[in-house]
Amino acid sequence: MDDQGRGPGPRPQGTEGPAETGAVDPLPYEGVWRFTAPAVDASVPQARHAVRDLLLRQGVPVADDVLQGLLLIVSELVTNVVRHAALLSPVLAVEVAVGAGWVRVSVEDNHPYRPTALETDHGRTGGRGLLLVREITLEAGGACDVEHTASGGKVAWVALPLEPARF
């Protein structure tokens, strides 16, 4: 995976941290990281491991259950790109943004069609990944959405709350 380092990025609305309000210095784990990967099966576990390793390396205070849910979400979102968008988007981008009280992960591709969550159909295997993403997000008290990008693609994102920092 090509690590493009830190950079500016969108943050969930209503979750401005100290860096945005000017109240105090940002916490050591705050930042934005972005990497790209080919839209192939091997990128699913690579993206999941890269996100996990980044959060651990930065010392992000994320509860274990939230972390496990977030990693499952990363797998589902990258899998969607690999299965449904790879033809028009051979490369995907994963962005991790961390603020004082939240973590946001987004997966971007160049395919123009917005995915839809299928309702439960017990006769099908698969096809319920976005329902799973939505349920994990809601259970954790977070937010998720899919938005169009200026380049004509889309970005699916999830923002989840962090544990309060303990110093």
Side-chain angles (χ1 to χ4, degrees):
M1 298 192 138
D2 180 23
D3 183 357
Q4 296 178 354
R6 300 175 104 161
R11 290 174 169 77
Q13 293 180 357
T15 57
E16 289 79 18
E20 290 82 12
T21 62
V24 294
D25 290 335
L27 294 168
Y29 56 80
E30 289 182 285
V32 179
W33 298 265
R34 184 176 175 91
F35 57 89
T36 59
V40 297
D41 288 336
S43 293
V44 176
Q46 288 176 348
R48 185 176 59 247
H49 294 141
V51 169
R52 180 200 63 207
D53 294 347
L54 170 69
L55 295 175
L56 293 174
R57 184 174 61 246
Q58 292 302 118
V60 177
V62 60
D64 188 58
D65 58 337
V66 173
L67 176 62
Q68 296 309 315
L70 184 65
L71 297 177
L72 180 56
I73 288 169
V74 168
S75 293
E76 290 294 335
L77 295 180
V78 173
T79 296
N80 278 350
V81 174
V82 170
R83 288 194 179 153
H84 305 292
L87 187 61
L88 294 178
S89 184
V91 175
L92 60 92
V94 177
E95 183 174 279
V96 180
V98 182
W102 51 268
V103 57
R104 179 182 192 256
V105 173
S106 60
V107 177
E108 183 177 339
D109 65 63
N110 291 322
H111 196 287
Y113 298 114
R114 181 183 171 118
T116 57
L118 298 176
E119 295 304 317
T120 302
D121 178 356
H122 298 291
R124 290 184 62 154
T125 58
R128 292 184 280 283
L130 289 178
L131 283 174
L132 185 60
V133 167
R134 185 173 59 206
E135 291 304 313
I136 291 170
T137 301
L138 292 175
E139 185 174 311
C144 61
D145 201 1
V146 179
E147 300 170 352
H148 291 285
T149 63
S151 63
K154 66 184 167 303
V155 59
W157 62 267
V158 171
L160 301 178
L162 295 176
E163 293 180 336
R166 295 182 193 108
F167 293 102

mmCIF file of all heavy atoms in Angstrom, residues 58-78:
data_model
loop_
_atom_site.group_PDB
_atom_site.id
_atom_site.type_symbol
_atom_site.label_atom_id
_atom_site.label_comp_id
_atom_site.label_asym_id
_atom_site.label_seq_id
_atom_site.Cartn_x
_atom_site.Cartn_y
_atom_site.Cartn_z
ATOM 1 N N GLN A 58 -0.259 5.380 16.818
ATOM 2 C CA GLN A 58 -0.533 6.755 17.222
ATOM 3 C C GLN A 58 -1.047 6.841 18.662
ATOM 4 O O GLN A 58 -1.175 7.934 19.197
ATOM 5 C CB GLN A 58 -1.554 7.401 16.285
ATOM 6 C CG GLN A 58 -1.040 7.635 14.876
ATOM 7 C CD GLN A 58 0.196 8.511 14.854
ATOM 8 O OE1 GLN A 58 1.259 8.080 14.426
ATOM 9 N NE2 GLN A 58 0.090 9.724 15.328
ATOM 10 N N GLY A 59 -1.377 5.696 19.257
ATOM 11 C CA GLY A 59 -1.893 5.705 20.622
ATOM 12 C C GLY A 59 -3.304 6.239 20.726
ATOM 13 O O GLY A 59 -3.680 6.852 21.725
ATOM 14 N N VAL A 60 -4.111 6.004 19.708
ATOM 15 C CA VAL A 60 -5.490 6.489 19.694
ATOM 16 C C VAL A 60 -6.293 5.723 20.748
ATOM 17 O O VAL A 60 -6.298 4.489 20.752
ATOM 18 C CB VAL A 60 -6.115 6.317 18.294
ATOM 19 C CG1 VAL A 60 -7.567 6.759 18.289
ATOM 20 C CG2 VAL A 60 -5.308 7.096 17.262
ATOM 21 N N PRO A 61 -6.977 6.427 21.642
ATOM 22 C CA PRO A 61 -7.721 5.767 22.716
ATOM 23 C C PRO A 61 -9.069 5.230 22.253
ATOM 24 O O PRO A 61 -10.125 5.745 22.602
ATOM 25 C CB PRO A 61 -7.889 6.884 23.747
ATOM 26 C CG PRO A 61 -7.981 8.119 22.915
ATOM 27 C CD PRO A 61 -7.030 7.886 21.767
ATOM 28 N N VAL A 62 -9.022 4.182 21.475
ATOM 29 C CA VAL A 62 -10.247 3.585 20.949
ATOM 30 C C VAL A 62 -10.544 2.313 21.737
ATOM 31 O O VAL A 62 -9.663 1.493 21.975
ATOM 32 C CB VAL A 62 -10.121 3.317 19.427
ATOM 33 C CG1 VAL A 62 -8.990 2.379 19.096
ATOM 34 C CG2 VAL A 62 -11.420 2.817 18.840
ATOM 35 N N ALA A 63 -11.792 2.181 22.185
ATOM 36 C CA ALA A 63 -12.219 0.989 22.919
ATOM 37 C C ALA A 63 -12.074 -0.233 22.017
ATOM 38 O O ALA A 63 -12.251 -0.149 20.802
ATOM 39 C CB ALA A 63 -13.666 1.144 23.378
ATOM 40 N N ASP A 64 -11.759 -1.378 22.605
ATOM 41 C CA ASP A 64 -11.530 -2.587 21.820
ATOM 42 C C ASP A 64 -12.743 -2.963 20.969
ATOM 43 O O ASP A 64 -12.579 -3.319 19.805
ATOM 44 C CB ASP A 64 -11.129 -3.756 22.724
ATOM 45 C CG ASP A 64 -10.697 -4.959 21.904
ATOM 46 O OD1 ASP A 64 -9.745 -4.813 21.099
ATOM 47 O OD2 ASP A 64 -11.320 -6.028 22.042
ATOM 48 N N ASP A 65 -13.952 -2.860 21.521
ATOM 49 C CA ASP A 65 -15.132 -3.217 20.732
ATOM 50 C C ASP A 65 -15.344 -2.245 19.574
ATOM 51 O O ASP A 65 -15.745 -2.642 18.484
ATOM 52 C CB ASP A 65 -16.382 -3.331 21.604
ATOM 53 C CG ASP A 65 -16.709 -2.069 22.377
ATOM 54 O OD1 ASP A 65 -15.802 -1.248 22.616
ATOM 55 O OD2 ASP A 65 -17.886 -1.894 22.754
ATOM 56 N N VAL A 66 -15.043 -0.980 19.787
ATOM 57 C CA VAL A 66 -15.158 0.008 18.707
ATOM 58 C C VAL A 66 -14.090 -0.269 17.650
ATOM 59 O O VAL A 66 -14.362 -0.217 16.449
ATOM 60 C CB VAL A 66 -15.057 1.444 19.253
ATOM 61 C CG1 VAL A 66 -14.992 2.460 18.126
ATOM 62 C CG2 VAL A 66 -16.242 1.749 20.170
ATOM 63 N N LEU A 67 -12.875 -0.590 18.089
ATOM 64 C CA LEU A 67 -11.799 -0.912 17.146
ATOM 65 C C LEU A 67 -12.167 -2.118 16.296
ATOM 66 O O LEU A 67 -12.010 -2.089 15.067
ATOM 67 C CB LEU A 67 -10.489 -1.162 17.891
ATOM 68 C CG LEU A 67 -9.310 -1.607 17.019
ATOM 69 C CD1 LEU A 67 -8.956 -0.528 15.998
ATOM 70 C CD2 LEU A 67 -8.107 -1.946 17.891
ATOM 71 N N GLN A 68 -12.671 -3.179 16.924
ATOM 72 C CA GLN A 68 -13.050 -4.376 16.160
ATOM 73 C C GLN A 68 -14.161 -4.055 15.168
ATOM 74 O O GLN A 68 -14.131 -4.520 14.022
ATOM 75 C CB GLN A 68 -13.459 -5.507 17.110
ATOM 76 C CG GLN A 68 -12.336 -6.001 18.009
ATOM 77 C CD GLN A 68 -11.067 -6.350 17.251
ATOM 78 O OE1 GLN A 68 -11.104 -7.000 16.209
ATOM 79 N NE2 GLN A 68 -9.942 -5.906 17.765
ATOM 80 N N GLY A 69 -15.136 -3.263 15.575
ATOM 81 C CA GLY A 69 -16.192 -2.854 14.661
ATOM 82 C C GLY A 69 -15.650 -2.020 13.520
ATOM 83 O O GLY A 69 -16.031 -2.207 12.357
ATOM 84 N N LEU A 70 -14.744 -1.102 13.827
ATOM 85 C CA LEU A 70 -14.153 -0.248 12.803
ATOM 86 C C LEU A 70 -13.367 -1.076 11.787
ATOM 87 O O LEU A 70 -13.449 -0.825 10.575
ATOM 88 C CB LEU A 70 -13.253 0.802 13.452
ATOM 89 C CG LEU A 70 -12.633 1.825 12.507
ATOM 90 C CD1 LEU A 70 -13.717 2.692 11.873
ATOM 91 C CD2 LEU A 70 -11.635 2.685 13.252
ATOM 92 N N LEU A 71 -12.628 -2.069 12.255
ATOM 93 C CA LEU A 71 -11.853 -2.910 11.345
ATOM 94 C C LEU A 71 -12.763 -3.746 10.447
ATOM 95 O O LEU A 71 -12.468 -3.936 9.262
ATOM 96 C CB LEU A 71 -10.882 -3.794 12.128
ATOM 97 C CG LEU A 71 -9.821 -3.024 12.911
ATOM 98 C CD1 LEU A 71 -8.953 -3.977 13.710
ATOM 99 C CD2 LEU A 71 -8.983 -2.132 12.004
ATOM 100 N N LEU A 72 -13.882 -4.205 10.980
ATOM 101 C CA LEU A 72 -14.859 -4.920 10.154
ATOM 102 C C LEU A 72 -15.443 -3.976 9.102
ATOM 103 O O LEU A 72 -15.604 -4.356 7.936
ATOM 104 C CB LEU A 72 -15.958 -5.514 11.027
ATOM 105 C CG LEU A 72 -17.061 -6.285 10.297
ATOM 106 C CD1 LEU A 72 -16.482 -7.406 9.444
ATOM 107 C CD2 LEU A 72 -18.058 -6.833 11.305
ATOM 108 N N ILE A 73 -15.710 -2.741 9.503
ATOM 109 C CA ILE A 73 -16.221 -1.746 8.558
ATOM 110 C C ILE A 73 -15.221 -1.490 7.443
ATOM 111 O O ILE A 73 -15.589 -1.435 6.265
ATOM 112 C CB ILE A 73 -16.580 -0.442 9.304
ATOM 113 C CG1 ILE A 73 -17.851 -0.651 10.136
ATOM 114 C CG2 ILE A 73 -16.724 0.727 8.347
ATOM 115 C CD1 ILE A 73 -18.157 0.461 11.120
ATOM 116 N N VAL A 74 -13.939 -1.342 7.780
ATOM 117 C CA VAL A 74 -12.901 -1.145 6.760
ATOM 118 C C VAL A 74 -12.922 -2.311 5.776
ATOM 119 O O VAL A 74 -12.898 -2.115 4.555
ATOM 120 C CB VAL A 74 -11.508 -0.987 7.403
ATOM 121 C CG1 VAL A 74 -10.404 -1.065 6.357
ATOM 122 C CG2 VAL A 74 -11.428 0.319 8.179
ATOM 123 N N SER A 75 -12.995 -3.532 6.300
ATOM 124 C CA SER A 75 -13.041 -4.708 5.424
ATOM 125 C C SER A 75 -14.243 -4.662 4.492
ATOM 126 O O SER A 75 -14.122 -4.939 3.291
ATOM 127 C CB SER A 75 -13.091 -5.991 6.258
ATOM 128 O OG SER A 75 -11.896 -6.186 6.951
ATOM 129 N N GLU A 76 -15.399 -4.317 5.023
ATOM 130 C CA GLU A 76 -16.614 -4.274 4.208
ATOM 131 C C GLU A 76 -16.537 -3.193 3.126
ATOM 132 O O GLU A 76 -16.907 -3.428 1.976
ATOM 133 C CB GLU A 76 -17.845 -4.047 5.085
ATOM 134 C CG GLU A 76 -18.206 -5.214 5.972
ATOM 135 C CD GLU A 76 -18.650 -6.447 5.198
ATOM 136 O OE1 GLU A 76 -19.134 -6.307 4.050
ATOM 137 O OE2 GLU A 76 -18.507 -7.550 5.742
ATOM 138 N N LEU A 77 -16.055 -2.009 3.493
ATOM 139 C CA LEU A 77 -16.001 -0.914 2.516
ATOM 140 C C LEU A 77 -14.979 -1.188 1.420
ATOM 141 O O LEU A 77 -15.241 -0.923 0.241
ATOM 142 C CB LEU A 77 -15.703 0.406 3.227
ATOM 143 C CG LEU A 77 -16.780 0.903 4.191
ATOM 144 C CD1 LEU A 77 -16.358 2.230 4.825
ATOM 145 C CD2 LEU A 77 -18.136 1.027 3.511
ATOM 146 N N VAL A 78 -13.823 -1.720 1.778
ATOM 147 C CA VAL A 78 -12.812 -2.046 0.757
ATOM 148 C C VAL A 78 -13.303 -3.206 -0.105
ATOM 149 O O VAL A 78 -13.139 -3.186 -1.333
ATOM 150 C CB VAL A 78 -11.444 -2.344 1.407
ATOM 151 C CG1 VAL A 78 -10.449 -2.841 0.366
ATOM 152 C CG2 VAL A 78 -10.908 -1.095 2.107
#
